[in-house]
Amino acid sequence: MDWTWFHRFGSPPHLYGLARRLTPWFAWPAALLIAIGLYGGLVLAPPDYQQGDGFRIIYVHAPSAWLSLMAYTWMAVAAAIGLVWRMKAAHAAAASCAPIGAWFTVAALGTGMLWGKPMWGTYWAWDPRLTAELVLLFLYLGYIGLRSAIEDPQRADRTSAVLAIVGVVNVPIVRYSVEWWNSIHQAPSVMKFGKPSISWPMLTPLLIMFIGFTLLFVALLLVRLRGEILRRERRAQWVAEVVTE
Amino acid sequence: MSGFFAMGGYAGSVWPAMALTFGIIAWNVVAARRSLAAARAAARRRISMEDAP
Amino acid sequence: MSVHRLTGEALHVFRGERHVLRGVSFAAQGGEYLEVTGRNGAGKTSLLRTIVGLVHAESGRIEWNGLDIHRDARAFHAQVAFLGHESPLKADLTAMENLHFAIGIRRTIDATEIARALGETGAGGFADRPVRTLSAGQRRRVALAGVVLAAAPLWVLDEPATHLDADGHALVGRLVERHRASGGIVIAAVHAPLPVAEPGTRHLGLTSS
Amino acid sequence: MSVHRLTGEALHVFRGERHVLRGVSFAAQGGEYLEVTGRNGAGKTSLLRTIVGLVHAESGRIEWNGLDIHRDARAFHAQVAFLGHESPLKADLTAMENLHFAIGIRRTIDATEIARALGETGAGGFADRPVRTLSAGQRRRVALAGVVLAAAPLWVLDEPATHLDADGHALVGRLVERHRASGGIVIAAVHAPLPVAEPGTRHLGLTSS
Amino acid sequence: MSGVWHCAQLVIGRDLRLAFRNRAQLLHPLLFFGIVTTLFPLALSPEPSRLRDVAPGVLWVGALLASLLAIEFLFREDAQDGTLEQYALSGRSLTWLLFAKTVSHWLLSGLPLALASPVVAYGLAVSPGAMPGIVASVALGTIALSLLGAVSAGLTLGIKRGGALLSLLTLPLAVPLLIFGAQATARAIAGADMSAPMYFLAACAVLGITLAPLAAAAAVRISLE
Amino acid sequence: MSGVWHCAQLVIGRDLRLAFRNRAQLLHPLLFFGIVTTLFPLALSPEPSRLRDVAPGVLWVGALLASLLAIEFLFREDAQDGTLEQYALSGRSLTWLLFAKTVSHWLLSGLPLALASPVVAYGLAVSPGAMPGIVASVALGTIALSLLGAVSAGLTLGIKRGGALLSLLTLPLAVPLLIFGAQATARAIAGADMSAPMYFLAACAVLGITLAPLAAAAAVRISLE
Ligand code: HEM
Ligand SMILES: Nc1ncnc2c1ncn2[C@@H]1O[C@H](COP(=O)(O)OP(=O)(O)OP(=O)(O)O)[C@@H](O)[C@H]1O
Ligand SMILES: Nc1ncnc2c1ncn2[C@@H]1O[C@H](COP(=O)(O)OP(=O)(O)OP(=O)(O)O)[C@@H](O)[C@H]1O
Ligand SMILES: [Mg+2]
Ligand SMILES: [Mg+2]
């Protein structure tokens, strides 16, 4: 098999240029889709028969939660590629995923809590999904903390890659164990996630939001990726050309 | 219009949730651009350091 | 047994942002002593740590007997004894115990051999005291006994004579001579030259960048 | 201002069970340099730590300007700058910051003064780098700048030239000379004599017990 | 000669600057507190009523451990790199310098813990009305804890791995603080009058401020020998 | 060349000897465990039925924290005095040497904790019949904890004050162990069948034994750079 494409793709100058060219192609559609989704969600979609207008939080909550998990998976995959093939660009991608993922974890937790107050009567409960999300936030913080504590970028890359990989093994284990833990102790029934029976006018804006958030993530990732590549490649000649032009 | 802002009595939850999410999105956009700008500035500083004897 | 050979070619090493070594090359073979000198901050420690593989060079290569040292790092390390700025000793163990555990991992060793090495480095008198109660120079002597005991052909020593008195300085010279005579290679970073005979000594002067 | 005077009389010091100093006496006055020599383990470090009051002598007394140093320890300490085997620096702070906080406690000081002292000890080039990124000798130079800045009449230095290159060795000699010339007293434990003029130098040789 | 206030300012300024340079350290007590108090609901059951019952205990044990871990670092590093030696030889009152150090410890651990305690309490199903009382009791209790910790840290300085001894020495002394702190918190949760335990905590803090720095300085001086 | 078993023996022998020379260290995890679990009854109410309810949680949080504190010391000291550097340069498999180190950590923390857990459990009003189950679950759970701790310790080695990060990194990873450990203990107390959580703990231990030393060695090697 011919692997040259892989190495060319991973070559920092190539990736840097690619990221720069691709960014608008993700950023603008993301802005557009999020605007449409928001209008659809807040204005067009009918109120939920049970939750009234409160359910509209779903249009920011669910996509944020989804992003928080997706970013972690991407981060771990990129870290593994970086560790195995010693590919700087992959480490740079992993490093870029972390802050974005952490922020959207905060968004998911925050919107979930704001939703929980009217629905359950409390901001927080030790529900499996909530707990797993909280643990995910701790994992992100650990990753970011570890990375920022090591000055040398190469060392930081490889050390945090080990953590990202160990952590990705852990996420499903946490989910599964928390679920089991909670099913043993009977949780109060108000705190169950009622999966809203959802109709098309409600669902369409949600799907648009999902796509919009994903595109937004990619756009943010591409911008951060460029910065991270520059940091790692600051000794290379091409960087001089790129930043002085 | 005021009915829209009232959100059927859920204004206290819906609008803060929206504000939080879009605040975080806005911050992420700013932070991403700043991180790129900082990396470029560092690279430029470095180049001017190399040029000096 | 063929003669050992260590070479470094066009090494470029960065510490953080700093381009510390800019194209350093060297070579040494069995029976030679490579003296690394340079002002404070010239990069001696960085070079020695690169040679033993604790720091990675940005470019350039280091070869031991013709093989890149990172190819089979473990086999290479079995042939190196490294002594850094600090002496790697456990304060709560005695000198004997320290060496017993530290060297035992590398090769089988018995107490008499350790005692002999400690005697050679002038540490016989306090072999059974916890290291925490030793003076700075006494600790260094214990660490030097560890280098002797490692029975490795390549010695990499960072300012081995730190904290040593005049006798200790001469002792390090004697140890280097003996190791050379037995076909070993010694690389040492020093500020004051060790009392070692000039033939078979190579000099590597690093200049601050 | 009268001339400073430090005397030690019949000092007996124990470290653990060990009778390390057996009746050591010495005297030095303003403008003098007291060079303490002795083999590894002779008790140099123990003596210096006794002089600054970090170790208590079993018997004998140390007087500063005629007063026992333990009488008003705080007033005495305000007059002493002590540098031990290790340089007391925070790895996370820069050289400037380290000295700002360390010396600021003793006396009011501004940045230009610190910068000047760092320049004098050859540490001007890396005054703004975190100490963790400095080489062993570079750290020692920063610590020496701290001694200079303390503006204390009595300097007590334990192997001040450790890790320093030849230039650094000469620098320590110059600093000692200057301090003597300004009426200060320097006590230093050394293995290799510092380049200091013989008149006004006293020698104290310790012998291992 | 610079004044004693300037000295204290320098000591505190230095500790704060170091902490801010090393974010992880700054967040440590908080994170530890957050994680320990998260572990409890996981190890127990997630039922709000049961959580509320154990809330005072979890909160105070968490705060105590977080505060202790932080103080160990605060002194140990300064001992290792020779800073404490220089403090002792600075010609300044060691008591005063160590008091300043204790203040920075409280600013870096006790204060953040107090400010964070409502969040943790909420996770333990405590109702919002109890929060002001909880913050006040934790803030007051951690003052005494910091002072106590400074003494134990001083005592265990000379000892390698003093951590073991440190907890052994401090925890028994901290028992009264824990009992009254937990009591104050329990009363805040129950909406009862919490003045009695609060007075006790305040008395401990005052006693600590007068005696602890003296004891700590004596201990440090001995351990430097 | 001495064999790999001899190597492991030396590593373990050295750690044990150091621990016995420094009794405080040997007792540290135990003391910490004992004190944390004593603080709880003090901070909560002394009613036996309530204590029994929180017993699994208290026991496991205590064991987790004690084990973590111990592992931090185990690696940090070796890093500071250059021992790990010498291990990495010894020409031996670092994975194997670190595995041996993890074994000594378990012998010095997990095993004593397991043996002491009946005492602690008794203090929490647990009936004697539950003790064998409790010992078994703590022993098994701490194996996995030690292995996990070794990875985190390796990751945080190069970092000053890594302790903060160490707990932040380990605790999320330890959540499953905590949940199942506490569950096993709760079942032992209730006299129910504890095989399911025990199987889970065993699976974690096996997974840990195969993967953790590799990850730890990778982390240590990177951090020595
Ligand atoms: C702090 C509180 C909350 C947290 C941490 C949280 C977390 C999450 C997470 C992680 C997901 C993603 C699931 C996935 O994509 O696989 C999610 C989705 C979702 N959450 Fe929440 N949530 C919280 C509160 C709530 C509340 C109060 C409600 C409504 C009553 C709610 C309704 C939903 C819905 C409808 C979805 C999307 C449907 C699905 O993927 O199953 N969440 N939440
Ligand atoms: N971790 C680091 N980060 C950044 N720069 C560093 C780091 N370590 C060392 N340096 C810098 O690299 C240069 C070489 O350091 P090195 O320790 O190799 O010098 P050295 O020749 O051993 O000096 P010395 O004689 O003082 O021991 C110095 O200028 C030093 O400041
Ligand atoms: N804490 C201690 N307990 C017991 N003995 C000690 C202790 N510290 C030092 N000693 C012993 O006291 C003697 C003097 O030690 P000291 O450190 O003063 O020597 P030194 O002259 O400074 O030696 P060096 O040149 O090696 O620095 C030595 O024999 C040493 O082993
Ligand atoms: Mg050096
Ligand atoms: Mg000495």
Side-chain angles (χ1 to χ4, degrees):
Chain A
M1 183 153 177
D2 183 17
W3 283 97
T4 48
W5 68 269
F6 180 76
H7 289 290
R8 188 145 46 80
F9 179 76
S11 101
H14 179 251
L15 203 59
Y16 183 90
L18 192 67
R20 177 158 61 180
R21 269 174 279 124
L22 284 181
T23 306
W25 292 95
F26 285 91
W28 293 114
L32 190 69
L33 287 179
I34 290 174
I36 294 174
L38 201 61
Y39 183 73
L42 289 181
V43 179
L44 299 183
D48 185 65
Y49 73 100
Q50 238 182 347
Q51 306 190 359
D53 284 320
F55 94 100
R56 295 184 197 278
I57 293 178
I58 198 176
Y59 296 110
V60 286
H61 170 74
S64 301
W66 149 251
L67 255 195
S68 69
L69 294 171
M70 185 182 74
Y72 197 89
T73 319
W74 283 37
M75 182 174 93
V77 170
I81 292 175
L83 206 56
V84 174
W85 284 289
R86 286 197 167 241
M87 200 165 135
K88 276 187 198 167
H91 283 305
S96 316
C97 285
I100 309 176
W103 274 114
F104 280 93
T105 312
V106 172
L109 281 169
T111 53
M113 287 173 76
L114 286 165
W115 200 356
K117 187 63 182 171
M119 294 304 135
W120 309 332
T122 177
Y123 288 107
W124 184 259
W126 294 95
D127 171 275
R129 215 193 302 217
L130 275 57
T131 309
E133 187 78 0
L134 185 64
V135 172
L136 184 67
L137 180 65
F138 283 138
L139 274 174
Y140 272 124
L141 290 181
Y143 180 90
I144 293 170
L146 184 61
R147 184 175 271 292
S148 67
I150 306 174
E151 270 161 44
D152 180 37
Q154 258 86 27
R155 245 186 68 197
D157 278 347
R158 297 201 280 132
T159 310
S160 55
V162 175
L163 176 66
I165 294 164
V166 174
V168 85
V169 176
N170 192 56
V171 168
I173 300 182
V174 169
R175 257 310 277 279
Y176 161 73
S177 56
V178 174
E179 206 111 15
W180 205 28
W181 154 67
N182 216 358
S183 67
I184 293 294
H185 308 274
Q186 160 75 39
S189 50
V190 268
M191 299 202 180
K192 284 260 165 65
F193 267 87
K195 198 162 194 172
S197 48
I198 205 159
S199 63
W200 276 110
M202 287 175 167
L203 189 58
T204 316
L206 185 60
L207 292 179
I208 293 175
M209 280 303 240
F210 266 111
I211 300 170
F213 268 60
T214 309
L215 295 181
L216 172 72
F217 170 70
V218 177
L220 290 172
L221 181 63
L222 290 175
V223 175
R224 280 188 175 273
L225 180 63
R226 278 164 61 199
E228 293 294 338
I229 290 177
L230 285 186
R231 267 184 211 111
R232 281 164 185 71
E233 288 286 301
R234 58 195 184 277
R235 289 157 198 159
Q237 187 51 45
W238 69 268
V239 170
E241 288 155 19
V242 165
V243 298
T244 47
E245 71 193 20
Chain B
M1 202 59 196
S2 68
F4 173 71
F5 285 113
M7 273 290 150
Y10 289 108
S13 304
V14 175
W15 295 121
M18 295 295 154
L20 177 71
T21 311
F22 288 95
I24 286 177
I25 289 178
W27 167 249
N28 266 281
V29 172
V30 172
R33 299 177 60 136
R34 258 205 221 166
S35 123
L36 174 57
R40 292 179 67 106
R44 235 177 270 129
R45 248 201 328 275
R46 190 187 159 75
I47 289 159
S48 59
M49 222 164 75
E50 298 270 276
D51 290 345
Chain C
M1 198 185 79
S2 69
V3 173
H4 291 296
R5 189 167 169 75
L6 181 80
T7 54
E9 257 179 60
L11 293 171
H12 284 263
V13 170
F14 281 76
R15 302 297 300 268
E17 278 301 289
R18 210 153 288 277
H19 195 162
V20 175
L21 300 182
R22 299 172 183 247
V24 171
S25 301
F26 62 87
Q29 59 181 26
E32 285 186 335
Y33 162 53
L34 178 64
E35 184 186 75
V36 183
T37 51
R39 311 182 47 159
N40 291 138
K44 301 180 292 301
T45 299
S46 306
L47 177 65
L48 299 194
R49 290 178 75 85
T50 311
I51 291 176
V52 296
L54 286 172
V55 167
H56 279 260
E58 193 81 359
S59 69
R61 48 195 282 127
I62 302 177
E63 290 182 351
W64 171 250
N65 293 339
L67 272 178
D68 191 299
I69 59 163
H70 293 288
R71 264 303 265 290
D72 185 355
R74 213 189 299 165
F76 171 61
H77 287 150
Q79 315 243 35
V80 188
F82 174 63
L83 179 62
H85 275 304
E86 304 287 326
S87 307
L89 302 170
K90 283 280 171 204
D92 283 335
L93 296 179
T94 66
M96 282 292 279
E97 288 170 331
N98 260 297
L99 296 180
H100 169 68
F101 291 118
I103 305 300
I105 288 175
R106 305 180 67 110
R107 63 193 194 87
T108 335
I109 195 167
D110 61 9
T112 51
E113 204 177 342
I114 301 180
R116 202 175 53 228
L118 283 168
E120 275 170 21
T121 59
F126 38 84
D128 287 321
R129 276 165 54 193
V131 166
R132 69 161 71 260
T133 69
L134 301 184
S135 79
Q138 289 170 335
R139 283 179 212 199
R140 201 67 180 165
R141 286 166 186 267
V142 176
L144 282 172
V147 172
V148 172
L149 284 171
L154 176 60
W155 287 5
V156 180
L157 315 174
D158 202 350
E159 300 189 31
T162 322
H163 298 309
L164 292 186
D165 54 23
D167 266 18
H169 209 246
L171 164 77
V172 176
R174 280 202 308 281
L175 292 178
V176 171
E177 288 287 13
R178 199 179 65 190
H179 189 59
R180 291 205 300 186
S182 69
I185 302 180
V186 180
I187 301 183
V190 296
H191 288 304
L194 295 176
V196 169
E198 194 52 42
T201 298
R202 298 196 186 206
H203 299 272
L204 176 62
L206 299 177
T207 47
S208 316
S209 46
Chain D
M1 198 185 77
S2 69
V3 172
H4 291 296
R5 187 166 172 76
L6 183 81
T7 54
E9 257 178 61
L11 293 169
H12 285 263
V13 170
F14 283 76
R15 302 297 301 268
E17 281 303 290
R18 208 157 291 278
H19 194 165
V20 175
L21 300 182
R22 300 172 182 248
V24 171
S25 302
F26 62 88
Q29 58 181 27
E32 287 187 333
Y33 161 53
L34 178 64
E35 185 185 76
V36 183
T37 50
R39 310 181 48 157
N40 291 136
K44 301 178 293 301
T45 299
S46 306
L47 177 64
L48 299 193
R49 290 178 75 85
T50 311
I51 292 176
V52 297
L54 286 172
V55 167
H56 279 262
E58 196 78 4
S59 70
R61 47 195 281 126
I62 303 178
E63 291 182 352
W64 172 248
N65 294 340
L67 272 177
D68 190 301
I69 59 164
H70 294 287
R71 266 300 267 291
D72 184 355
R74 215 189 296 165
F76 171 61
H77 286 151
Q79 315 243 37
V80 188
F82 173 64
L83 179 62
H85 274 304
E86 303 287 327
S87 307
L89 302 170
K90 282 280 169 205
D92 282 335
L93 297 178
T94 67
M96 282 292 278
E97 289 171 331
N98 260 296
L99 296 180
H100 170 68
F101 290 118
I103 305 301
I105 289 177
R106 304 180 69 109
R107 63 192 194 88
T108 336
I109 195 168
D110 61 8
T112 51
E113 207 178 340
I114 300 179
R116 203 177 50 230
L118 283 168
E120 277 170 20
T121 59
F126 38 85
D128 287 321
R129 276 166 54 193
V131 165
R132 70 159 76 258
T133 69
L134 300 185
S135 79
Q138 289 171 335
R139 281 179 214 200
R140 200 67 179 165
R141 285 166 186 267
V142 176
L144 282 171
V147 172
V148 171
L149 284 171
L154 176 59
W155 286 6
V156 179
L157 315 175
D158 201 351
E159 299 190 32
T162 323
H163 297 310
L164 292 186
D165 53 24
D167 266 18
H169 209 246
L171 164 78
V172 176
R174 278 200 310 281
L175 291 177
V176 170
E177 288 287 13
R178 201 180 63 190
H179 189 60
R180 290 204 301 184
S182 70
I185 302 179
V186 181
I187 302 182
V190 296
H191 288 304
L194 295 176
V196 169
E198 194 50 43
T201 298
R202 298 198 187 204
H203 299 272
L204 176 62
L206 299 177
T207 46
S208 315
S209 46
Chain E
M1 274 303 247
S2 46
V4 286
W5 288 109
H6 180 66
C7 265
Q9 224 173 303
L10 278 170
V11 170
I12 297 173
R14 199 186 68 132
D15 285 345
L16 296 186
R17 177 153 340 169
L18 273 169
F20 277 90
R21 191 138 305 169
N22 200 327
R23 304 276 170 76
Q25 187 218 333
L26 190 63
L27 287 175
H28 189 191
L30 266 190
L31 277 173
F32 189 84
F33 187 51
I35 291 175
V36 167
T37 46
T38 312
L39 290 180
F40 263 97
L42 288 174
L44 295 170
S45 79
E47 261 171 70
S49 69
R50 285 184 61 190
L51 285 179
R52 194 158 29 234
D53 276 359
V54 299
V58 172
L59 218 94
W60 274 88
V61 172
L64 184 88
L65 295 177
S67 173
L68 273 188
L69 283 182
I71 205 151
E72 198 200 328
F73 282 113
L74 200 64
F75 275 69
R76 182 161 306 271
E77 284 220 330
D78 277 359
Q80 273 172 357
D81 62 21
T83 303
L84 279 184
E85 208 167 271
Q86 293 291 337
Y87 280 175
L89 298 180
S90 68
R92 294 292 180 168
S93 152
L94 189 58
T95 309
W96 176 250
L97 296 178
L98 293 184
F99 178 65
K101 252 197 115 45
T102 314
V103 172
S104 40
H105 173 253
W106 185 76
L107 289 175
L108 290 170
S109 68
L111 189 60
L113 289 179
L115 295 179
S117 55
V119 177
V120 167
Y122 195 85
L124 295 169
V126 170
S127 67
M131 299 310 172
I134 291 181
V135 173
S137 70
V138 173
L140 199 53
T142 47
I143 292 178
L145 270 179
S146 289
L147 289 159
L148 188 60
V151 179
S152 320
L155 284 172
T156 52
L157 261 193
I159 302 161
K160 282 204 78 165
R161 312 198 177 220
L165 269 174
L166 184 77
S167 16
L168 183 60
L169 289 177
T170 319
L171 292 178
L173 294 175
V175 163
L177 291 174
L178 187 80
I179 291 176
F180 284 95
Q183 201 166 85
T185 307
R187 292 198 182 181
I189 293 174
D193 172 36
M194 50 193 287
S195 59
M198 287 297 276
Y199 281 138
F200 180 85
L201 290 179
C204 284
V206 171
L207 190 76
I209 288 173
T210 46
L211 293 184
L214 281 172
V220 165
R221 225 181 275 283
I222 293 165
S223 78
L224 285 180
E225 254 193 30
Chain F
M1 277 300 248
S2 46
V4 286
W5 288 109
H6 181 66
C7 266
Q9 226 174 304
L10 279 170
V11 170
I12 297 173
R14 199 186 69 130
D15 285 343
L16 295 186
R17 179 154 337 171
L18 273 169
F20 277 92
R21 189 134 313 167
N22 198 328
R23 301 282 165 72
Q25 186 218 335
L26 189 63
L27 287 176
H28 191 190
L30 268 188
L31 277 173
F32 190 85
F33 185 52
I35 292 174
V36 168
T37 47
T38 318
L39 289 180
F40 260 95
L42 288 174
L44 295 170
S45 80
E47 261 171 71
S49 70
R50 280 184 64 191
L51 285 181
R52 194 159 33 236
D53 274 0
V54 300
V58 171
L59 219 96
W60 273 89
V61 172
L64 184 87
L65 295 177
S67 172
L68 270 188
L69 284 181
I71 205 149
E72 197 198 328
F73 283 114
L74 199 64
F75 274 68
R76 182 158 308 271
E77 285 220 329
D78 278 359
Q80 273 172 358
D81 62 20
T83 302
L84 278 184
E85 210 166 272
Q86 294 291 340
Y87 280 176
L89 298 180
S90 68
R92 294 292 178 169
S93 154
L94 188 58
T95 309
W96 177 249
L97 296 178
L98 292 183
F99 179 65
K101 249 195 119 42
T102 315
V103 172
S104 41
H105 172 253
W106 183 76
L107 290 175
L108 289 170
S109 69
L111 189 61
L113 289 179
L115 296 179
S117 56
V119 179
V120 168
Y122 195 83
L124 294 167
V126 170
S127 66
M131 298 311 173
I134 291 181
V135 173
S137 70
V138 173
L140 198 52
T142 47
I143 293 178
L145 271 179
S146 290
L147 289 159
L148 190 59
V151 178
S152 320
L155 285 171
T156 52
L157 258 193
I159 302 161
K160 283 206 76 165
R161 310 198 176 221
L165 266 174
L166 184 78
S167 21
L168 180 59
L169 296 184
T170 318
L171 294 178
L173 297 176
V175 164
L177 292 174
L178 187 77
I179 290 176
F180 284 97
Q183 204 167 82
T185 306
R187 292 196 182 183
I189 293 174
D193 171 36
M194 50 191 289
S195 60
M198 287 297 275
Y199 281 139
F200 180 87
L201 290 179
C204 284
V206 170
L207 190 76
I209 287 173
T210 46
L211 294 184
L214 280 173
V220 166
R221 220 183 279 283
I222 295 165
S223 80
L224 286 179
E225 258 188 31

